[in-house]
Structures are given as C-alpha cells and as structure tokens.
Amino acid sequence: MKRIAVYCGASKGNDPSYMSEAYQLGKTMAEKGYELIFGAGSVGIMGAIQDGVLDHGGSAIGVMPNMLNEKEITSEKLTELILVDSMHERKNKMAELADAFVMAPGGAGSLEEFFEMYSWSQIGIHQKPIAVFNINGFFDPLQSLLSHMIEEGFIDAKYDTLAPLCDTTEALFETIKHYKPLGVRTYD
Ligand code: AMP
C-alpha cells in the first residue's frame, strides 16, 4: 500500500487544532512513505495536509476539475496536478489512484466523496481500507447516525467497523494497516 486519498474540508474550521492535526497527518504520511491523493486545493484542511506532506519530503498528487481550477485555489506546490473535466471524473480518478481512503474534518464535499467509497465497499466495487480521522471528536455525531442506521435496519451490522473513528494519527495508520475487508452486502 502506497497511496492514501484524504477527503477533507476546503475550510479551516473554527478551532486551530483542526489545521494543526491535519498538518501532523500530512507529516506522518510523508514519514511513513505514503503518498497523498487529494482534491488539489491549497485552502483549509486540504492545504494543511498537503503542507505537512510536502514540508517533510512527501509526495502530494492533486486531482482538480477544470471548473474549480478557475477559482485560483489550486495548489502551486503539488508533486503532480491531474486536471479532469468533472467532479465525477475527479472522484473516479482519486478512487483509482488510492490504496486506502481517509476522511478528515470537512463539510458536505468531504462527506459526499467519502460516502461514495463507503457505499462502493458495501457493493463490492472495492475492498480497500477506509478510516476516519476524528480530530477533536468531530465525527462523533456521524458515528451516532451510523449506529442508528444499523439499529434501525438500514445498514447491515457487519459494517459496524467499516468507517472506524481514529482519534490519533497512530490509530489511523494502525487501522489502515490491519484492515480486513467486510465483504459485499446481501439483501433479504
Ligand atoms: P467541503 O468538505 O465541503 O469543504 O469540500 C471539500 C471537498 O470537496 C474536497 O475534498 C474537495 O475535493 C472538494 N472541494 C470543495 N471545494 C473545493 C475547492 N475550492 N477546491 C478544491 N476542491 C474542493
């Protein structure tokens, strides 16, 4: 395993620890030899992870759709920039390049990208590791929602550990390393 796609915010969040922890994630990725696959933005959490990677000799590959590229927030420091025609193409490219998927704090864009990988795992399009970087307990409410969906019979209980919340970078890398595919969903 060499490349991790990180889905995360184009905003900074209100607490400075979101940015500093994101930077630490990037630093640890570089130190452990993982390449970053991300949305190519220089802003928010995306920018912090990228800086952490690049400041420590790592590699950051950004995939940017032309329509967002015109907003002038595309990072100029990338190891490699891949320009694509649409958001759909971007997500496909990121999914194809990455060996594992991580979500860090963000908004609707991050959720949308991450849950595509989460649901694709359930229907067997991939069986790559998935994990959530739970800075400041940011995703605790999401865990509550997923548990509720399991309790109410809309997600199979075997996916209880499909998107494990990791409070530290160490826990995140351990989770990815020891990930066991959960298999394809069945229907009753
Ligand atoms: P959000 O979580 O809503 O801030 O959206 C962040 C995610 O959506 C990132 O992972 C990007 O892939 C995408 N995205 C949203 N806004 C931008 C932007 N200005 N530049 C690059 N990617 C963006």
Side-chain angles (χ1 to χ4, degrees):
M1 173 172 330
K2 287 170 63 184
R3 292 168 163 169
I4 300 177
V6 183
Y7 304 115
C8 58
S11 305
K12 291 181 173 169
N14 292 333
D15 190 309
S17 63
Y18 292 121
M19 290 291 278
S20 57
E21 289 292 313
Y23 184 89
Q24 285 303 316
L25 171 60
K27 174 176 183 272
T28 312
M29 281 181 69
E31 288 168 352
K32 290 186 182 288
Y34 291 109
E35 292 183 317
L36 170 68
I37 307 293
F38 78 124
S42 60
V43 288
I45 302 296
M46 270 190 288
I49 295 178
Q50 170 211 248
D51 287 345
V53 167
L54 294 176
D55 289 352
H56 297 88
S59 159
I61 301 166
V63 187
M64 180 64 91
N66 287 310
M67 42 87 71
L68 282 178
N69 192 33
E70 287 157 16
K71 293 189 194 295
E72 296 181 358
I73 41 73
T74 304
S75 169
E76 293 178 353
K77 303 192 272 186
L78 295 166
T79 312
E80 184 182 349
L81 172 64
I82 301 173
L83 285 173
V84 293
D85 285 331
S86 68
M87 291 297 278
H88 285 109
E89 219 182 295
R90 171 202 246 180
K91 290 190 292 174
N92 278 335
K93 182 51 99 181
M94 289 174 70
E96 182 188 304
L97 290 174
D99 301 305
F101 307 107
V102 165
M103 175 164 63
S110 305
L111 279 183
E112 185 258 342
E113 293 169 335
F114 179 77
F115 274 98
E116 188 170 66
M117 293 309 112
Y118 179 94
S119 63
W120 282 8
S121 177
Q122 293 186 353
I123 57 176
I125 294 177
H126 75 84
Q127 291 286 293
K128 297 174 184 177
I130 293 180
V132 176
F133 189 24
N134 193 29
I135 301 172
N136 276 350
F138 178 77
F139 287 110
D140 289 350
L142 178 66
Q143 182 61 69
S144 301
L145 177 62
L146 290 172
S147 299
H148 176 67
M149 289 170 160
I150 289 173
E151 273 162 32
E152 293 299 313
F154 288 99
I155 295 180
D156 190 314
K158 78 176 173 185
Y159 298 118
D160 193 24
T161 55
L162 182 55
L165 301 196
C166 306
D167 294 334
T168 63
T169 50
E170 275 316 309
L172 191 73
F173 289 107
E174 282 303 298
T175 297
I176 288 173
K177 203 164 135 193
H178 300 294
Y179 180 81
K180 291 204 175 52
L182 296 172
V184 177
R185 74 185 273 187
T186 52
Y187 302 87
D188 46 34

